[in-house]
Structure formats: C-alpha cells, structure tokens
Amino acid sequence: MGYTLEALIGDPEVLRPVVQRWPVAALVTLDAGLSLIPLTDELFDAAGGGSASKPLGFWKLPAQFDRGLAGWSAAGPVAYVEAEFFGGVGTQRAALWTGGRLALGPLFADEDEPFDPAGSPISQVLARLGVGREGHHDEFDAVGLGRHRDTEGWLS
C-alpha cells in the first residue's frame, strides 16, 4: 500500500488566506493545533501549475508558490511537505518559512537514505512548528498525518 502527501501545514489562521485566495483549497484540522491544506491537482492548477523548473527541488510545488509561502509566513510559520512511500520505501521533502523567509530546508530524504538523527524532514519542520512527540512515534504521528493514504484523501 502506498502513501502520498503534498501539503501546506501551519496554524489555521496563517493558512486561511490561501483558502480565501483559491476557493478550491480546503483547510483540514490536524492534531496539535495545526491545520493542513492538501495541494490537490485542482489547487495546483488554480495556483498556476508547474513549469520545467521545480521550486527548491520539490515535485509538486507550483511555480512561484514559494514566494506565496514567504508572504504568508509573515503572519506565522508555514511549512510545505511532500512524501511518497510504497512498501516502506520512499522519499520526504519539507521546508519551513517564517518571518517572510525560508527558515529551514529544503530538507530531503530520498529512497534508502536514513533519516537525520533529528528526525524525518517532515518531523523536523513539525518540531519547529511546536509539535512534540510525547506518546507518539514522532511528530508526523503526533499530528495525525497517517490518517489518509494520499493527498486527495484529506478532502473526505
């Protein structure tokens, strides 16, 4: 069984302007007081889609969207995350913007690469967003990112 996620993560009030700008965006509640906006194909297209270049090395981040992330982060930290796994093998990519600038990353863990001792790329940005791992395997688990197996599943 596979797992795919492309999403923005942050405080719901910080992410609200994204939903206001693109009505196809959905704000989904996570644990630990955070919310997620799944970067569905529909939102990707509405936000300008892609180009030949991949901003900051991400697969699905729309062209120029990193500038939007910097702008939204003036109100509070916001992360962009990507993960793709199948049969326990996969990749993660994550970055965090705060105060209008890229503050962490982009962090990458490709197939067969061990995670950094600080955690997976996604767990590292979640930790910077204030997520603790008490009672959970890691920060990824603490916010409930395993609830759905693919990006579109967050819309249900």
Side-chain angles (χ1 to χ4, degrees), residues 5-111:
L5 176 67
E6 297 99 2
L8 304 174
I9 299 175
D11 181 280
E13 291 308 312
V14 173
L15 296 179
R16 200 162 311 285
V18 179
V19 177
Q20 292 169 341
R21 180 169 180 185
W22 292 289
V24 298
L27 192 62
V28 180
T29 302
L30 295 173
D31 296 333
L34 295 176
S35 288
L36 170 146
I37 295 177
L39 188 57
T40 61
D41 291 341
E42 192 174 19
L43 176 56
F44 178 81
D45 291 341
S51 67
S53 69
K54 297 292 182 191
L56 302 173
F58 289 103
W59 306 306
K60 195 170 180 179
L61 190 65
Q64 310 303 319
F65 210 67
D66 54 323
R67 291 183 189 162
L69 287 159
W72 300 315
S73 77
V78 60
Y80 178 71
V81 302
E82 295 180 340
E84 184 172 28
F85 286 87
F86 187 81
V89 177
T91 61
Q92 277 193 22
R93 301 179 185 302
L96 180 74
W97 287 259
T98 188
R101 65 178 183 78
L102 184 62
L104 179 63
L107 304 173
F108 303 106
D110 288 319
E111 286 185 28

